[in-house]
Amino acid sequence: MKNIFQSKNLFWNLTALLIFIAVIYFLVVPVSSVLVGSFQTEEDGAWTLKNFLSFVKYRTYWKSLANSVGVSLAASVLTIVMAVPLAFMVSRWNLKGKPFIIALSTIPLMLPSFISAFAWIILLGRAGIVSELIRSLGIPFDSIYGYFGVVMVFTVQFYPYVFLMTLSGFNSVDESIEEVGRSLGTGPVKTFIKVSMPLVLPGILSGTLLVFMTAVENFGVPMVIGEQKPFLAVQAYMEFTSDIGQHPGMAYALSVVLIMVTMTSLMAQRYYLRKRNFIQSARGRPEIKELRGWARRFATGYCFTVVLIPLIPFFVALVISFLEMRGPVIHPNFSLQNYSYAFSHMARPIFNSYFLATVATLISVVIGVPAGYILTRRRSSIGDGLDFAIMLPFTIAGTVLGIALIVMFNTGFLVLTGTWMILALSYTIRKMPFIARSSSSILYQLDPAMEEASISLGVNPMKTFFKITIRLMSGGIIAGAILTWVTTISELSSTIVLQTPGWSTMTVEMFQGILSDDMGMASAFASILIVSAIVPLLIIIGRFKEEGSSLF
Amino acid sequence: MPGISIRNVTKRFGDLVAANNISLEIEKGEFFTLLGPSGCGKTTLLRCIAGFLDHEGGQILFGDRRVDGIPTHKRGVGMVFQNYAVFPHLSVQDNVKYGLKARRVPAREQAERASQALALVRLEGLEDRLPNQLSGGQLQRVAIARALVIEPEVLLMDEPLSNLDAKLRVEMRGEIRLLQQKMGITTIYVTHDQEEALSISDRIAVMEYGIVRQVGKPWEVYVQPGDAFVAGFIGTTNMFDSEIKTSEGGLAIAQCGGVSFGLSRSDGVAQGSQIQIALRPEAITIRDIEEPVPDGHWVLEGEIIRFEYLGSMIKYEVGFSENVTLLVVSYDAEPAKIKNVGQRVKLSYPIERAKTFRKDRPQ
């Protein structure tokens, strides 16, 4: 502790301290007030267990926990079924167009999941195009509303987490390790199960936990396709904002339950990974099996089908946006009416989305890059605290964060509720950790001798950070910033809580369009969002191939 | 060019004492090498001198100027790193100018000095290349030019050759030595390669477990190793545990596995003491059984177990009773004189070439 305030470390320790204080003030305190609120009565703030007793007593509440966890677990299992064989084939077989398979697989992560849900309804809803088709064949089919739909959308939307992490696992199993296994007299299949699988398992499991966490905190998909079934994030939002009768105390209690679920799964992931960190030591690449003729074509076709199916809804949304719509009814005529409506009546939400995402991304970079630097290069007691502080936002669902920020900044000396700043603040809290993590992983690959060489040549450490470190990180930082921007414009779960009429966003308008059956407007916004995400994504894939790949 | 004084420098990492009360006086213009196995503290010491690490006790001086406490960028050191650390986003020329810019040297002088430095390391014509267009050897030359162009008070080199292939390593070490002598710059060089250290240095400090075991000229540490570690670490040596049987006159006799070795009698070699004997392979002469032996030589008889013919020399492994073997190097590689496996031979060595170390010395 003694050297924390020495001049040499002063700048970095002060920076770490500031970030630490910001996390406490803008995240820990608001979330704590939700925690406190859950034990208080709504009327006079007296201590009570009423909210939690209601949670146990009323079916809607406890069922929302069961639904959220059950649906997320089911999606986690299904992503494994979908992604692990895919990852194995892409890693070990000589498929055609592998880079395309990988690039296509990343797209669902960049696009809002509720757009996917919305477009699946167009296809498989009660009046869906495909539903009608199925029924015309005489097969009884209602729709995908309900649990099945939620699980399906989660699966096709979040499978890339498992796919990409498993893929890097399979890619880093050294050929020689498998050869050693085989040379010791085990057959290929047994070697795979006994030698390769344990090395890949950490990747699979941490990918699956990511799926679980993303699914359990998801707001849009169950809201759009869950059809009145209660889910934690949705229920908390409804109790907080309902027109009929608000129950903030109940919303707090549901938030606390949700935090407990996400916190537990994150802890489980960290605990699991701490003991198994042997994935990165491989040198050689694994052997690629040469398939020929039909086998190769079939495998390639299978893999492309798997990565293309999740993209169908986005394609559908794009097509629909150019058709004439009257409410939920589609007329097969080409039309730009959806866009003319969107741009004339909804210019403000479009501007808001871009503006808020840009502000939040810039702030995230300004804070996140130094934070990543401290995590990697300046480990001290403050640095360890920072590591924990930066993990925290991952455990707070967007809906919960929105509720917490409103509670905190409604009154007092800093009133933000109802302003654009509270939205920018929420986005920054949610995205900054991503910039910090990716900066830190870029820095791990950067030889510290670069910085030391600069210092030894007479450039002080501060200037060295800007002239050398930042310069060498810039490719990765830009790629990370673009990804942050892309995922920020599609943020819904905290926006829906925090938005006000003047500061609504594309996602909010689109979401309300879906709920009020205004499919035309929804599809126009969906298309604008998709294009806004795909274009930057293509830029990254084109320009920052190397750096970009380490970010996913 | 000042010399460097290191006085009682200690550096700990938690419980590990990486540098333990080290004192060294390095002359001005001297090429001084810190040599030792990995983890011996040589890089730690170098990084303390550079200012990347804060040591706990003691002082470091460049000439009369005390530098500990002064941050690295104000110490005036030139440093060359193991992984070159050439800035990948700058051209060769801009890499070399980097330190000059920081010193606000006028632009024209920058260009002049940079081209001189590049000429010195024989990289003329590559000024505008980017680092990813250069080979490992060229990168290291850029790094050296970049460190020298700022005219540092001392030059610090941290295993600069270990990433190069063997042939280039030998070539580059000759060049580094020549350059250093031409500029007369006080240099501290870190390596784990004992041959490199012997070939390049004015003096060597051999380190182990954060302690300097011996400081001396290359031939001193080779021929007169101060302890068993130095004897074993530098060069190839026959080492074995033994016990002094008799010790009288100028001669002590030690026994190991039933074989007797004659040793020059010195302090501490009392009868019954446990010792280690170190005997260089080239100190031993291999002879036919009937050949006469000069005075002052100790004679052993053994049998050739195997040999390696290496062109300029032959390595023999000679066996005695009960699994005691000696490695012998003979530069008399004339085909007619090559001994055969199984042949009985006479070995002799001057008794003062057998070094003895007490085994009970504190580690």
Side-chain angles (χ1 to χ4, degrees):
Chain A
M1 286 295 278
K2 78 173 170 43
N3 66 347
I4 280 182
F5 290 106
Q6 274 178 10
S7 65
K8 209 175 162 183
N9 297 320
L10 186 64
F11 173 79
W12 292 111
N13 284 320
L14 279 181
T15 309
L17 205 61
L18 276 176
I19 298 171
F20 203 56
I21 290 169
V23 169
I24 290 178
Y25 186 70
F26 292 114
L27 184 69
V28 176
V29 175
V31 170
S32 305
S33 46
V34 167
L35 182 64
V36 171
S38 70
F39 289 105
Q40 287 177 327
T41 59
E42 282 153 26
E43 295 77 28
D44 54 3
W47 295 111
T48 179
L49 281 173
K50 194 190 84 190
N51 297 318
F52 290 98
L53 291 174
S54 305
F55 178 82
V56 182
K57 190 171 158 195
Y58 294 109
R59 188 171 188 278
T60 315
Y61 296 142
W62 62 256
K63 188 77 181 163
S64 70
L65 171 65
N67 283 347
S68 285
V69 172
V71 157
S72 304
L73 276 179
S76 305
V77 172
L78 285 178
T79 52
I80 294 178
V81 174
M82 178 172 173
V84 173
L86 185 69
F88 176 79
M89 287 183 229
V90 170
S91 169
R92 299 301 175 84
W93 292 356
N94 63 335
L95 306 179
K96 285 181 194 163
K98 267 190 206 180
F100 286 106
I101 297 175
I102 295 168
L104 288 173
S105 77
T106 61
I107 293 176
L109 288 185
M110 301 301 133
L111 295 174
S113 49
F114 67 94
I115 293 187
S116 173
F118 156 69
W120 283 116
I121 286 175
I122 292 174
L123 294 174
L124 291 164
R126 298 227 162 71
I129 305 162
V130 181
S131 308
E132 302 276 4
L133 195 75
I134 296 175
R135 269 178 236 133
S136 71
L137 295 171
I139 302 163
F141 179 80
D142 178 39
S143 71
I144 55 159
Y145 281 107
Y147 297 122
F148 177 76
V150 176
V151 171
M152 189 192 88
V153 174
F154 282 163
T155 305
V156 298
Q157 200 66 20
F158 302 142
Y159 85 95
Y161 287 127
V162 180
F163 170 65
L164 294 170
M165 297 190 98
T166 311
L167 180 66
S168 83
F170 276 127
N171 280 344
S172 60
V173 175
D174 199 324
E175 188 184 348
S176 60
I177 292 177
E178 290 182 352
E179 278 171 357
V180 166
R182 238 172 277 180
S183 72
L184 293 173
T186 25
V189 177
K190 212 172 167 193
T191 300
F192 182 78
I193 292 167
K194 289 207 150 183
V195 180
S196 311
M197 251 354 229
L199 292 169
V200 180
L201 214 53
I204 298 177
L205 277 168
S206 50
T208 312
L209 271 157
L210 227 51
V211 171
F212 180 81
M213 285 184 65
T214 322
V216 92
E217 70 111 40
N218 190 290
F219 169 83
V221 175
M223 190 80 184
V224 171
I225 210 172
E227 190 156 69
Q228 316 304 325
K229 300 251 184 324
F231 290 87
L232 274 178
V234 177
Q235 205 59 38
Y237 163 77
M238 306 245 253
E239 299 290 339
F240 193 68
T241 60
S242 167
D243 297 332
I244 311 152
Q246 296 180 3
H247 291 291
M250 201 57 229
Y252 302 154
L254 290 166
S255 298
V256 170
V257 173
L258 186 47
I259 291 172
M260 272 157 50
V261 174
T262 45
M263 205 87 118
T264 310
S265 53
L266 187 82
M267 292 300 149
Q269 184 200 21
R270 294 210 99 188
Y271 175 77
Y272 177 78
L273 281 185
R274 204 180 44 218
K275 292 193 294 180
R276 294 173 184 76
N277 225 344
F278 38 57
I279 235 180
Q280 294 138 346
S281 62
R283 292 195 171 169
R285 297 274 296 191
E287 188 185 2
I288 306 288
K289 188 174 175 187
E290 298 288 326
L291 300 179
R292 281 173 209 292
W294 280 106
R296 187 178 182 206
R297 257 167 265 168
F298 182 78
T300 304
Y302 171 79
C303 289
F304 268 99
T305 309
V306 172
V307 296
L308 283 173
I309 286 175
L311 302 182
I312 292 174
F314 301 106
F315 180 73
V316 169
L318 280 173
V319 171
I320 296 254
S321 70
F322 289 103
L323 297 180
E324 203 186 313
M325 304 275 254
R326 284 183 209 132
V329 185
I330 303 164
H331 295 262
N333 308 319
F334 176 81
S335 161
L336 286 173
Q337 71 171 63
N338 299 325
Y339 288 97
S340 64
Y341 180 80
F343 284 114
S344 59
H345 291 72
M346 297 291 170
R348 189 58 204 269
I350 298 175
F351 165 81
N352 287 349
S353 281
Y354 288 165
F355 170 75
L356 292 169
T358 309
V359 170
T361 302
L362 290 178
I363 300 174
S364 295
V365 168
V366 169
I367 301 172
V369 173
Y373 181 80
I374 293 165
L375 288 181
T376 327
R377 293 281 201 262
R378 305 254 158 187
R379 255 356 252 250
S380 64
S381 35
I382 285 187
D384 288 339
L386 190 65
D387 193 17
F388 181 71
I390 283 178
M391 285 305 286
L392 272 182
F394 286 126
T395 64
I396 310 295
T399 323
V400 176
L401 180 65
I403 292 172
L405 290 179
I406 286 189
V407 173
M408 173 83 178
F409 298 106
N410 222 357
T411 52
F413 76 99
L414 188 60
V415 177
L416 298 175
T417 307
T419 69
W420 64 269
M421 284 179 280
I422 202 164
L423 283 159
L425 175 64
S426 163
Y427 294 167
T428 307
I429 292 171
R430 301 200 77 195
K431 301 303 174 181
M432 187 274 280
F434 171 75
I435 296 272
R437 289 269 158 233
S438 68
S439 300
S440 135
S441 74
I442 299 166
L443 275 166
Y444 268 117
Q445 293 161 17
L446 198 71
D447 189 350
M450 291 290 174
E451 291 149 50
E452 290 173 354
S454 166
I455 293 168
S456 77
L457 290 167
V459 178
N460 71 47
M462 272 286 289
K463 271 192 181 169
T464 294
F465 177 71
F466 291 106
K467 284 182 80 169
I468 299 296
T469 319
I470 291 276
R471 181 64 193 70
L472 295 178
M473 289 171 75
S474 58
I477 294 174
I478 291 170
I482 291 176
L483 290 180
T484 301
W485 191 86
V486 162
T487 52
T488 306
I489 53 168
S490 35
E491 212 275 356
L492 176 68
S493 55
S494 76
T495 316
I496 196 77
V497 182
L498 295 168
Q499 54 100 15
T500 50
W503 284 99
S504 90
T505 63
M506 280 194 273
T507 50
V508 172
E509 291 302 328
M510 188 198 149
F511 181 67
Q512 279 162 0
I514 298 172
L515 293 191
S516 59
D517 272 349
D518 189 349
M519 293 300 190
M521 189 184 74
S523 65
F525 277 125
S527 303
I528 298 173
L529 279 173
I530 291 168
V531 172
S532 305
I534 294 289
V535 171
L537 204 61
L538 289 177
I539 295 175
I540 300 179
I541 291 172
R543 292 192 110 184
F544 304 106
K545 239 175 202 165
E546 299 289 298
E547 292 104 320
S549 62
S550 65
L551 287 167
F552 294 111
Chain B
M1 295 290 165
I4 301 168
S5 305
I6 296 156
R7 294 178 189 158
N8 309 103
V9 166
T10 296
K11 173 71 195 173
R12 279 175 235 267
F13 296 109
D15 290 337
L16 178 82
V17 188
N20 191 351
N21 197 21
I22 290 175
S23 296
L24 293 167
E25 288 294 327
I26 294 152
E27 305 286 321
K28 49 170 118 156
E30 191 172 22
F31 197 115
F32 192 89
T33 296
L34 302 175
L35 171 68
S38 60
C40 73
K42 56 192 190 301
T43 295
T44 300
L45 183 59
L46 191 79
R47 292 173 67 80
C48 287
I49 298 167
F52 292 127
L53 292 175
D54 296 324
H55 54 92
E56 280 128 39
Q59 305 179 348
I60 296 173
L61 297 90
F62 294 171
D64 298 329
R65 184 167 75 109
R66 196 167 161 193
V67 296
D68 35 320
I70 298 177
T72 305
H73 62 280
K74 292 182 184 152
R75 277 196 196 187
V77 296
M79 185 132 179
V80 179
F81 296 85
Q82 182 171 356
N83 300 327
Y84 325 128
V86 172
F87 306 131
H89 61 302
L90 298 179
S91 68
V92 167
Q93 187 166 210
D94 288 338
N95 260 286
V96 177
K97 282 182 186 169
Y98 187 88
L100 297 175
K101 281 188 185 140
R103 287 171 171 69
R104 305 192 189 288
V105 172
R108 189 185 307 163
E109 194 187 331
Q110 278 184 28
E112 225 165 80
R113 282 168 67 177
S115 68
Q116 278 171 10
L118 285 170
L120 209 59
V121 295
R122 302 193 290 119
L123 280 180
E124 305 101 321
L126 300 181
E127 287 84 355
D128 298 322
R129 292 269 185 97
L130 279 174
N132 60 13
Q133 299 168 299
L134 300 182
S135 70
Q138 287 171 327
L139 284 171
Q140 199 51 285
R141 284 168 210 265
V142 175
I144 292 168
R146 186 178 67 179
L148 288 176
V149 76
I150 59 170
E151 291 170 0
E153 292 188 52
V154 301
L155 180 63
L156 307 177
M157 305 182 102
D158 186 7
E159 310 222 14
L161 302 181
S162 56
N163 278 1
L164 304 177
D165 64 58
K167 201 175 166 206
L168 197 58
R169 202 151 56 209
V170 172
E171 201 182 299
M172 281 291 286
R173 77 187 186 207
E175 278 187 48
I176 289 175
R177 175 61 169 156
L178 218 60
L179 210 58
Q180 186 267 343
Q181 282 178 326
K182 199 146 87 184
M183 306 203 40
I185 186 168
T186 311
T187 300
I188 301 184
Y189 187 98
V190 162
T191 183
H192 63 270
D193 181 337
Q194 44 92 17
E195 187 190 299
E196 194 171 293
L198 291 174
S199 76
I200 206 171
S201 318
D202 288 317
R203 279 193 306 153
I204 297 171
V206 186
M207 295 180 66
E208 186 200 16
Y209 299 131
I211 293 168
V212 173
R213 289 283 182 210
Q214 190 178 6
V215 182
K217 296 190 164 69
W219 43 91
E220 288 169 353
V221 293
Y222 186 83
V223 182
Q224 303 286 342
D227 61 27
F229 170 76
V230 177
F233 187 72
I234 297 185
T236 315
T237 204
N238 293 294
M239 276 273 225
F240 30 80
D241 296 340
S242 178
E243 191 190 327
I244 299 286
K245 289 294 176 199
T246 64
S247 178
E248 46 189 311
L251 184 73
I253 294 173
Q255 262 208 335
C256 172
V259 185
S260 298
F261 292 92
L263 307 167
S264 166
R265 196 177 161 222
S266 54
D267 291 338
V269 188
Q271 190 172 335
S273 54
Q274 299 291 322
I275 56 160
Q276 275 183 299
I277 301 174
L279 191 52
R280 296 280 183 204
E282 71 276 6
I284 307 170
T285 314
I286 194 161
R287 301 165 199 277
D288 289 326
I289 282 295
E290 60 276 7
E291 230 178 291
V293 172
D295 280 350
H297 276 231
W298 186 259
V299 182
L300 296 163
E301 274 184 31
E303 185 184 310
I304 305 280
I305 295 173
R306 60 187 192 92
F307 71 88
E308 275 175 44
Y309 176 74
L310 297 170
S312 63
M313 59 169 154
I314 303 175
K315 282 185 183 171
Y316 292 104
E317 193 179 334
V318 182
F320 306 89
S321 57
E322 292 176 38
N323 297 333
V324 180
T325 66
L326 278 181
L327 184 68
V328 182
V329 169
S330 165
Y331 293 92
D332 194 356
E334 241 180 84
K337 295 196 176 165
I338 294 171
K339 311 284 185 274
N340 295 315
V341 172
Q343 189 177 341
R344 286 205 65 82
V345 289
K346 196 190 253 178
L347 300 183
S348 74
Y349 62 88
I351 54 166
E352 69 278 4
R353 290 294 303 272
K355 299 293 160 204
T356 57
F357 306 104
R358 294 181 55 137
K359 268 192 83 179
D360 51 6
R361 100 191 144 109
Q363 281 291 333

